[in-house]
Amino acid sequence: MTHVRKYMKAMAVNIIAFPVLGLAVPASAAELTAANMLQQMNEQDQYHYIAGVVAGLGTARFVRDGNDVGSACIDKWFYDTAGTRETIAKAFARFGDKSPAAILYALSAKECGK
């Protein structure tokens, strides 16, 4: 499956799943920390949330750069690089007071540049 298809699949799942499932997340996005996410979401919901953030990071990178080099790197980092999910889990545990999106941005920027 190409990176674009993976991206589109992740976006479709997130767009459909989150409103339908009514996930138990804090009322304010400012309250959603990595620690809260790990405590309040099961593993599948965590994956879909993280995939949605990664898709957003890739889209923002594509819009900013005007090409798909950076966004493809972000997709490859998340979907194809061995150990990425373990790296994310360790970062969430270490920086539990930070937002999941900020942690994912920092990790993807380290791998693919800003």
Side-chain angles (χ1 to χ4, degrees):
M1 184 179 289
T2 67
H3 293 294
V4 173
R5 285 190 179 154
K6 288 181 184 178
Y7 165 77
M8 295 305 290
K9 183 178 177 183
M11 287 301 295
V13 168
N14 287 314
I15 289 169
I16 295 167
F18 281 118
V20 172
L21 295 176
L23 297 175
V25 294
S28 168
E31 296 174 11
L32 182 59
T33 64
N36 289 344
M37 191 187 94
L38 293 174
Q39 292 170 354
Q40 295 177 4
M41 293 183 190
N42 65 39
E43 192 172 314
Q44 183 178 4
D45 293 340
Q46 290 173 28
Y47 174 81
H48 290 295
Y49 182 91
I50 291 168
V53 172
V54 169
L57 292 171
T59 301
R61 183 70 179 268
F62 176 81
V63 169
R64 189 197 72 194
D65 294 351
N67 61 57
D68 66 352
V69 174
S71 61
C73 179
I74 292 169
D75 286 345
K76 184 177 179 183
W77 165 74
F78 181 69
Y79 291 106
D80 299 335
T81 304
T84 296
R85 291 189 185 97
E86 293 80 9
T87 299
I88 292 170
K90 288 177 185 175
F92 279 15
R94 182 174 179 195
F95 302 106
D97 63 327
K98 306 297 182 203
S99 86
I103 295 168
L104 292 166
Y105 171 75
L107 292 172
S108 67
K110 181 178 178 184
E111 185 70 24
C112 300
K114 293 183 180 183

